[in-house]
Amino acid sequence: MKSKKAKLISLLAAGTLIAGCAGYRGGWQSVAYLGETPPAGLEAEASSGNLHRLPAMRHAGLELNVRINNELRTYDTQVYFFVLPLSVDPRDVYTKNHEPGKTRVYVTVTPRTPGYVFRPGAASLRFANQQFAGAQGFEFGMWDEKWNRLDKGGKWEHRPVGAEFALAEIGRKYYLSIDFPTPVPTPQSRDIMLDLSKALSAPAESPLPPIRFTPVRWKDGYT
């Protein structure tokens, strides 16, 4: 009886510790904005670690969100509630689809007027006194084996779009991305600039101004 009781107590204690395990992590990220200076309140909005909640940038007939795959985690600590740290990871780790030697910029676009065309090779990324042209562009969606769009039953992938891709459906959200042949810029940099003026354009609309990025600390708690 005693051995069974002791075993039960041990299991309950282990379960309590696991249930009481939590943690926190954080680091740096680059947050996009239009204009010469970041809008008021941008850093506070972005510090939650979820860039998808930021409002879209607007210019002429476009709404867009832009992010770089250079989110950097600089700490990750797991703890027991009110007890001791379980583990501490102080390494710098890029967390978002990181590939050595490549920077991917995600551009979510909603055209509000007709005529917009996506030309990834005309995009330009600049930082640290260097400039890189877009190497390849993609659209994220659900496709069959021949890259036909599906509503269900297909595979979610980034489909290559070639040199030009017409954004023909007004009001539709296009999940685009561009690869640049360079290691990711550090998210603590203040000189990152993305030029899409020729990469996202329409004959009747004024060109997009440069998109700049500001470094923002992010933090995230988890259980």
Side-chain angles (χ1 to χ4, degrees):
M1 288 292 293
K2 289 185 179 180
S3 60
K4 289 183 178 180
K5 186 176 181 180
K7 185 176 181 180
L8 178 60
I9 292 173
S10 297
L11 288 172
L12 289 173
T16 301
L17 286 175
I18 292 172
C21 181
Y24 49 91
R25 55 198 166 197
W28 289 94
Q29 60 191 343
S30 295
V31 179
Y33 64 94
L34 290 174
E36 296 296 326
T37 58
L42 177 65
E43 293 188 12
E45 289 184 66
S47 63
S48 65
N50 190 351
L51 296 184
H52 298 287
R53 295 179 182 175
L54 293 178
M57 297 179 285
R58 292 176 172 83
H59 176 78
L62 278 183
E63 295 179 4
L64 70 161
N65 294 86
V66 178
R67 60 186 178 91
I68 302 177
N69 67 329
N70 68 340
E71 180 180 293
L72 183 67
R73 190 189 73 211
T74 58
Y75 64 89
D76 187 351
T77 302
Q78 298 181 31
V79 297
Y80 291 125
F81 285 133
F82 310 114
V83 193
L84 297 172
L86 175 62
S87 68
V88 177
D89 186 351
R91 296 175 301 164
D92 288 352
V93 178
Y94 287 106
T95 62
K96 301 293 185 181
N97 302 315
H98 182 255
E99 294 185 45
K102 180 189 294 184
T103 295
R104 177 165 288 189
V105 176
Y106 298 91
V107 185
T108 302
V109 182
T110 305
R112 297 300 181 187
T113 57
Y116 275 98
V117 177
F118 177 47
R119 301 180 179 89
S124 174
L125 181 66
R126 306 172 192 172
F127 63 92
N129 297 316
Q130 300 179 84
Q131 180 171 325
F132 305 91
Q136 193 171 11
F138 304 87
E139 181 191 12
F140 184 72
M142 182 180 287
W143 319 98
D144 65 14
E145 294 180 355
K146 297 182 179 180
W147 296 114
N148 296 308
R149 187 185 303 279
L150 298 175
D151 293 326
K152 60 181 180 179
K155 187 176 182 180
W156 291 101
E157 288 189 87
H158 293 274
R159 174 183 70 95
V161 298
E164 290 191 358
F165 175 52
L167 308 184
E169 296 183 41
I170 305 302
R172 180 186 148 201
K173 188 174 287 188
Y174 290 87
Y175 297 93
L176 309 176
S177 58
I178 308 168
D179 281 349
F180 294 90
T182 173
V184 295
T186 170
Q188 292 173 266
S189 173
R190 294 185 179 273
D191 69 349
I192 305 171
M193 183 182 296
L194 178 67
D195 186 350
L196 297 177
S197 59
K198 297 178 181 178
L200 274 174
S201 61
E205 302 292 351
S206 59
L208 271 166
I211 297 169
R212 295 177 169 84
F213 295 83
T214 187
V216 174
R217 282 191 178 274
W218 65 271
K219 56 184 177 181
D220 184 28
Y222 62 93
T223 56

